[in-house]
Amino acid sequence: MAIPTIDFSKLDGEDRSKTMALLHNACEKWGFFQIENHGVDKELMDKVKKLVNKHYEDNMKPKFYTSEIVKTVEDKNKITNTDWESTFFISHRPDNKINDCTDLSEELRKAVDEYIDQLVKVAEKLSELMCENLGLDKDYIKEAFSGSKGPAVGTKVAKYPKCPHPELVRGLREHTDAGGIILLLQDDKVPGLEFFKDGEWVNIPPSKNNTIFINTGDQVEVLSNGIYKSTVHRVMTDKDGSRLSIATFYNPSGDAVISPAHKLSYPNQYTFQEYLKLYSSTKFEEKGPRFESMKKKINGH
């Protein structure tokens, strides 16, 4: 099953319409896809991965392999309520908290800041493209996410260490993401990420050439009135490899009020008699404007 790939370089040429249609299909039918030629500096991406891996080896790995979950799995006991992962989280927007992570090297903090500055532009571009495909104002998602301080941006850095008994534990259990647009920089060698589609698990290959992997969260599903779905995914453990995941979340602010975009939602709370009255004079016209008229009538316009 081929994962959709969106080439950002084709958005400004004669292939724009085709590329936009591919993006719409990816959001509507898949909930996950890859983007290439996204404009994020690939040398910077390599640097971030290298520094994160070094931080894991020096600081996180020793602690992980002395943890209770490791002892349990080594005793060959199945684990269903804990994930085989070593993680930390950085908040970038609306307030940058990276300097609170005092165990991170200055070089790593600087590289992550530069990477996020570029990645946020990609997230905003994606939100605009999604809005265009949905027939919404281009800033609709950004404004809906803004609340009082602007959209929230944070990064979960995770390593899924080598596991002696991968059949006993998930790297990360099955779930959908709570937020908005997730942009993943992942390992280029070790697999493990899987998405559920059409009744089966789809294996996501390692990201070659620093493509960025995208999936949509629950709030995009709500805002799009169910047109774009969040998708269940998980991470499997690996006996031979340690997988890197750097997932950045472009989310609503904590005080953002979320609801389906009015333009995309159906009218509600009307009597069938009211609808028939409008229908009698518009029967042979498009149904879309009829629904809009019902919404305006319900709202007192």
Side-chain angles (χ1 to χ4, degrees):
M1 192 179 291
I3 303 161
T5 300
I6 312 302
D7 186 346
F8 267 34
S9 70
K10 294 184 178 180
L11 288 168
D12 296 323
E14 58 184 19
D15 290 330
R16 177 178 170 78
S17 295
K18 182 179 177 180
T19 304
M20 289 295 289
L22 182 62
L23 174 62
H24 183 66
N25 180 72
C27 293
E28 183 179 36
K29 303 298 184 184
W30 292 71
F32 57 95
F33 53 93
Q34 298 177 91
I35 58 173
E36 59 185 15
N37 296 316
H38 40 66
V40 179
D41 187 316
K42 292 191 174 182
E43 290 185 4
L44 177 60
M45 296 167 79
D46 283 332
K47 183 177 182 179
V48 168
K49 290 195 291 186
K50 179 181 177 181
L51 291 172
V52 167
N53 279 327
K54 184 178 187 305
H55 176 76
Y56 167 75
E57 291 291 334
D58 293 345
N59 300 279
M60 300 167 70
K61 183 177 179 179
K63 296 177 184 177
F64 179 80
Y65 279 107
T66 58
S67 65
E68 195 61 37
I69 186 174
V70 173
K71 295 175 185 177
T72 303
V73 169
E74 286 178 342
D75 289 338
K76 298 185 179 180
N77 293 311
K78 188 175 180 65
I79 294 178
T80 58
N81 61 353
T82 309
D83 304 308
W84 183 271
E85 61 176 3
S86 180
T87 73
F88 62 91
F89 188 85
I90 306 168
S91 179
H92 311 289
R93 308 278 194 281
D95 300 311
N96 189 353
K97 302 288 189 180
I98 195 167
N99 288 327
D100 292 348
C101 304
T102 55
D103 61 333
L104 302 182
S105 70
E106 183 178 351
E107 186 180 17
L108 175 54
R109 281 180 278 160
K110 182 179 179 181
V112 168
D113 271 346
E114 292 177 6
Y115 170 65
I116 293 301
D117 283 345
Q118 295 185 29
L119 197 66
V120 167
K121 294 177 182 178
V122 177
E124 291 175 342
K125 179 68 173 178
L126 273 169
S127 73
E128 292 175 1
L129 295 172
M130 289 178 186
C131 286
E132 182 178 339
N133 272 333
L134 290 167
L136 302 172
D137 292 340
K138 73 170 188 174
D139 291 329
Y140 185 89
I141 290 177
K142 181 178 180 180
E143 290 175 357
F145 280 10
S146 288
S148 60
K149 295 184 178 180
V153 180
T155 297
K156 176 187 175 183
V157 178
K159 284 287 287 189
Y160 298 94
K162 294 179 181 180
C163 181
H165 301 288
E167 72 281 1
L168 297 178
V169 63
R170 294 274 191 268
L172 184 60
R173 288 161 288 168
E174 292 82 353
H175 67 288
T176 61
D177 287 323
I181 299 171
I182 298 84
L183 305 96
L184 173 64
L185 174 59
Q186 66 165 351
D187 206 284
D188 58 3
K189 295 179 180 177
V190 182
L193 180 61
E194 296 183 348
F195 277 72
F196 196 70
K197 175 174 168 54
D198 299 336
E200 62 180 289
W201 287 102
V202 180
N203 296 313
I204 306 302
S207 295
K208 301 297 183 182
N209 200 30
N210 282 331
T211 59
I212 295 175
F213 195 87
I214 307 295
N215 69 281
T216 48
D218 295 344
Q219 305 317 305
V220 168
E221 180 167 335
V222 172
L223 284 173
S224 69
N225 203 41
I227 297 173
Y228 291 168
K229 299 287 196 299
S230 59
T231 307
V232 175
H233 53 287
R234 66 186 183 187
V235 177
M236 305 301 285
T237 49
D238 192 289
K239 194 171 185 176
D240 302 313
S242 179
R243 178 178 175 269
L244 172 65
S245 167
I246 303 173
T248 299
F249 300 84
Y250 182 77
N251 283 349
S253 170
D255 63 351
V257 177
I258 304 298
S259 63
H262 178 72
K263 191 172 182 179
L264 302 177
S265 62
Y266 287 104
N268 59 71
Q269 299 295 316
Y270 59 85
T271 66
F272 184 48
Q273 185 175 6
E274 289 176 305
Y275 185 79
L276 283 176
K277 185 176 181 180
L278 177 62
Y279 179 80
S280 64
S281 61
T282 60
K283 178 177 180 177
F284 301 105
E285 299 174 14
E286 292 284 339
K287 64 184 176 183
R290 186 158 62 238
F291 291 158
E292 283 300 311
S293 294
M294 283 302 298
K295 284 193 282 188
K296 290 177 181 178
K297 179 178 175 65
I298 293 163
N299 292 328
H301 298 306

